Amino acid sequence: VSVAIAITANGEVAGDPDVMFSGLPMKMRDGKAMDEIVDEAIFSTLDSLPRSRRKDADATAQSVERAIRNTLRQVWGKKPMVHVLVVEV
């Protein structure tokens, strides 16, 4: 799973994160799309981070990476490789 997120100097998310993944099922057994699951993990993590922490690109990347990995482990039973790139704009 690869994610690119643009963050402004004020700690705001600029645009939508770009997500690409391979080797994961497109849908879970319950019919929920994997991209929806990953998107929910990303946005809930970004929303829960205080602005001061979002200003720190490394801390933001680490938080989003852990959230995605933990979410996928819970719903899929496996821990995929996750790479998050935070670009400061």
Side-chain angles (χ1 to χ4, degrees):
V1 178
S2 295
V3 181
I5 304 169
I7 302 285
T8 67
N10 295 332
E12 295 294 326
V13 178
D16 290 330
D18 189 23
V19 180
M20 303 223 21
F21 60 87
S22 64
L24 277 74
M26 296 303 287
K27 291 187 177 187
M28 299 306 299
R29 290 184 183 150
D30 63 1
K32 190 164 186 180
M34 187 63 78
D35 59 345
E36 290 177 14
I37 294 170
V38 172
D39 285 349
E40 286 175 14
I42 294 168
F43 286 111
S44 65
T45 302
L46 290 173
D47 291 343
S48 68
L49 288 175
R51 185 181 304 228
S52 60
R53 186 160 165 97
R54 280 192 311 239
K55 289 180 184 179
D56 182 349
D58 292 332
T60 300
Q62 186 178 42
S63 296
V64 171
E65 181 179 323
R66 286 182 179 168
I68 293 170
R69 188 179 303 116
N70 290 337
T71 299
L72 292 179
R73 188 188 60 205
Q74 289 174 359
V75 299
W76 189 37
K78 298 181 182 183
K79 293 190 301 185
M81 290 190 63
V82 179
H83 177 259
V84 178
L85 172 67
V86 176
V87 178
E88 297 168 333
V89 293

